[in-house]
Amino acid sequence: MRKGKGRTSRIRRRKHSKTSEMRGVNESYKSEFIELKKWLKARKFEDVNLVPAHFPGTGRGLMSKISLQGQMIISLPESCLLTTDTVIQSYLGPYITKWKPPPSPLLALCTFLVSEKHAGDRSLWKPYLEILPKSYTCPVCLEPEVVHLLPQPLKDKAIAQRAHVQTFFASSRDFFCSLQPLFVESIDSIFSYSAFLWAWCTINTRAVYLRPRLQKCLSAEPDTCALAPYLDLLNHSPHVQVKAAFNEETGSYEIRAASRYQKHEEVFICYGPHDNQRLLLEYGFVSLHNPHACVYVSREILVKYLPQIDKQMHKKISILEDHGFIENLTFGWDGPSWRLLTALKLLCLEAEKFMCWKQVLLGEKISYMNEKKSLEVAQKICCYSIEETNAILLKVSHLKTEKLPLVSQLTLVETLRMEELKILQVSAEILNRLQSTFS
């Protein structure tokens, strides 16, 4: 047999091919990263473990130069962090100090970002600003017709988020006008809504958490956000374990990897045990195969398949509201959540068993019929949700051919809906098995 033609060789080639597909393309040669590296070095930071790279699936991230496990992967000095201290010590400081009522920490950071981006080559933060995204995919940035295709709970939050940012911007206009002496151009042309939205999204999606600080010239809102150049290139994975915090002793923001990474593998951090709707709302992306992903059941769908003639229905809903069982009712990878089934068991209580509602909330079984009925309703809700999701996916597919400028936004919705469809299909199978025990 010729060398390289055997079974072992074929397996080795397949493994190598799979690894190559996942391996990132080193981008440290690009001018923006060369300038960022110089800028960071001047601020006493030089990375020896990671390099910027582009990965299939996640895009731009950081790649390991060596095998990693347990050691420090990044220790970013405080001099590299962009905080409210940075803003107050800048040319904006005197304007912030004299403004009444005091601006919020978030407003101070947003103002600094917009101003520095406008400064262009004159900005001391240019190397960092150059690698920041030019636009974002949080729902607040999506077109209304795309937001309309989101699951109802997320759609409601997206609409509320957009209203909050618009109100925040409108209420900050007078403060922006006070900065006119700093600029030749009109304030309205610099501090436009689009510029402000970009700054708000930059902070909301990329900031790290610091211990609360108190600035006398700022409002009492928590001052806990900092932008961390280079470190914020790390992408999220729900499957990794890391320790991340500001070390007061070393004066650095440190990230230590608990997970193991091979050489040339993408290094991740975990933003927290967030479901995909939360990730999309706050960060603008969906995580595939997310163990925390779930499908939320709205109040309207919760009661859709219950008897309309139940005279105790209003009282049952009131009990669920009073005890916090009307929100966060979900289907997950392991089927309907305990909270969802508990809420349905209470709603399915027969009139003569109504006084047992406390036992239901404590997880006790009330009757054979109650268990059977609640599973039947859960199955109907699940099937309805599958049908609704499929209908939305079909609509998204059509829109992708009709609305080419919205393809990237529509693809984001499609990804979320596809992940939720998988969860619903798994839940339907689990419910079928549970119901078979009552046959």
Side-chain angles (χ1 to χ4, degrees), residues 142 146-147 149-151 280 392-393 396 408-418:
L142 303 182
V146 177
V147 172
L149 298 169
L150 295 171
L280 181 52
I392 292 292
L393 284 169
V396 169
S408 60
Q409 294 187 15
L410 291 166
T411 300
L412 191 61
V413 174
E414 186 177 52
T415 304
L416 174 67
R417 289 287 192 169
M418 284 295 294

Side-chain angles (χ1 to χ4, degrees), residues 9-10 16 58 120 126 187 203 223 296 417 419 422:
S9 182
R10 288 197 300 272
H16 176 75
T58 57
K126 183 191 174 186
I187 282 294
I203 297 164
D223 184 4
Y296 288 88
R417 289 287 192 169
E419 288 296 296
K422 294 173 187 175

Side-chain angles (χ1 to χ4, degrees), residues 217-256:
C217 59
L218 297 177
S219 68
E221 294 175 33
D223 184 4
T224 57
C225 290
L227 289 173
Y230 191 74
L231 181 151
D232 61 8
L233 289 170
L234 289 165
N235 288 316
H236 163 81
S237 169
H239 306 289
V240 302
Q241 293 182 326
V242 295
K243 293 181 180 179
F246 186 80
N247 188 327
E248 298 288 348
E249 293 183 5
T250 62
S252 299
Y253 195 93
E254 299 176 347
I255 293 184
R256 189 178 295 273

Side-chain angles (χ1 to χ4, degrees), residues 306-320:
L306 294 169
Q308 300 297 314
I309 58 173
D310 188 344
K311 295 179 180 179
Q312 296 169 322
M313 186 56 65
H314 288 300
K315 179 62 177 174
K316 291 175 179 178
I317 294 291
S318 179
I319 290 171
L320 291 176

Side-chain angles (χ1 to χ4, degrees), residues 275-424:
D275 61 69
N276 278 334
Q277 292 195 22
R278 172 77 181 277
L279 289 173
L280 181 52
L281 181 70
E282 300 295 345
Y283 303 104
F285 68 88
V286 173
S287 178
L288 301 181
H289 315 299
N290 182 359
H292 310 295
C294 60
V295 179
Y296 288 88
V297 177
S298 66
R299 181 186 304 208
E300 293 73 25
I301 305 304
L302 182 67
V303 299
K304 183 178 178 69
Y305 296 101
L306 294 169
Q308 300 297 314
I309 58 173
D310 188 344
K311 295 179 180 179
Q312 296 169 322
M313 186 56 65
H314 288 300
K315 179 62 177 174
K316 291 175 179 178
I317 294 291
S318 179
I319 290 171
L320 291 176
E321 288 177 337
D322 292 344
H323 292 80
F325 272 84
I326 206 70
E327 303 290 341
N328 296 323
L329 309 178
T330 61
F331 291 101
W333 294 111
D334 53 356
S337 67
W338 179 83
R339 288 175 58 83
L340 174 57
L341 287 179
T342 299
L344 288 174
K345 287 176 186 178
L346 193 149
L347 292 171
C348 291
L349 278 173
E350 304 94 325
E352 63 273 14
K353 299 283 188 179
F354 179 66
M355 297 308 294
C356 299
W357 65 265
K358 288 185 179 179
Q359 289 96 306
V360 173
L361 295 184
L362 291 173
E364 296 180 21
K365 291 184 178 180
I366 302 304
S367 69
Y368 171 90
M369 283 306 298
N370 181 255
E371 295 285 318
K372 185 173 185 291
K373 182 63 177 175
S374 59
L375 286 176
E376 288 174 355
V377 175
Q379 181 71 293
K380 290 177 180 178
I381 292 173
C382 188
C383 290
Y384 168 83
S385 300
I386 289 173
E387 291 176 6
E388 181 194 40
T389 303
N390 276 322
I392 292 292
L393 284 169
L394 184 61
K395 186 173 183 179
V396 169
S397 179
H398 289 155
L399 285 173
K400 286 174 74 175
T401 61
E402 298 169 2
K403 308 268 188 175
L404 294 181
L406 297 180
V407 166
S408 60
Q409 294 187 15
L410 291 166
T411 300
L412 191 61
V413 174
E414 186 177 52
T415 304
L416 174 67
R417 289 287 192 169
M418 284 295 294
E419 288 296 296
E420 294 199 347
L421 180 61
K422 294 173 187 175
I423 291 171
L424 290 168

